[in-house]
Amino acid sequence: MADEKQKITLKTVLHEIQEAGTEFSLKFRKADGSISYKQRVKKNPTAPKSAAGGGKLPPKKDLSSIQRNMNHSGALLLFDCIHKQTFECKVRRLVEFNGMSIFHNY
């Protein structure tokens, strides 16, 4: 039998990405069709303004509203831990998560 990879659903991937501080590997297609692989990625660590600093804290969002926003915009804002930079990845172009093929079950 061919070398078949484990599969993971897109819903599970989106849920695991939202876990604070979780690092993962990600393979995705770029707009030009080429494949990009990021070995150590996590959710973009943008810090909200603190109330003590005069800023207003944004209301906390539940997982379903985060997923709706990601699916509506179609993009994830992530952080490459090796190159220390943020990047955007389209949800529909995700190929692999932690070495597992992503099953896009729309």
Side-chain angles (χ1 to χ4, degrees):
M1 186 155 56
D3 195 22
E4 201 166 314
K5 291 189 176 200
Q6 263 189 311
K7 294 190 187 234
I8 187 169
T9 64
L10 180 61
K11 180 180 180 179
T12 304
V13 169
L14 294 176
H15 179 72
E16 290 191 22
I17 286 172
Q18 293 307 313
E19 296 295 320
T22 302
E23 286 188 13
F24 50 90
S25 65
L26 196 64
K27 187 184 281 188
F28 58 95
R29 284 189 322 274
K30 294 181 180 180
D32 65 4
S34 64
I35 297 287
S36 181
Y37 175 73
K38 304 282 187 179
Q39 190 173 2
R40 289 180 52 221
V41 177
K42 63 182 176 180
K43 186 173 82 169
N44 187 21
T46 54
K49 294 180 182 176
S50 69
K56 188 176 181 184
L57 287 174
K60 289 206 176 238
K61 295 182 179 181
D62 61 4
L63 181 61
S64 63
S65 66
I66 292 170
Q67 287 175 329
R68 251 191 326 275
N69 289 345
M70 284 188 301
N71 289 332
H72 181 69
S73 71
L76 298 169
L77 189 57
L78 302 169
F79 182 75
D80 184 338
C81 299
I82 293 173
H83 296 103
K84 307 276 191 247
Q85 60 186 11
T86 59
F87 68 98
E88 187 175 277
C89 176
K90 297 289 185 184
V91 172
R92 71 174 192 262
R93 293 184 181 154
L94 296 175
V95 176
E96 284 183 15
F97 177 81
N98 286 337
M100 295 178 278
S101 294
I102 298 173
F103 175 62
H104 291 261
N105 53 343
Y106 294 102

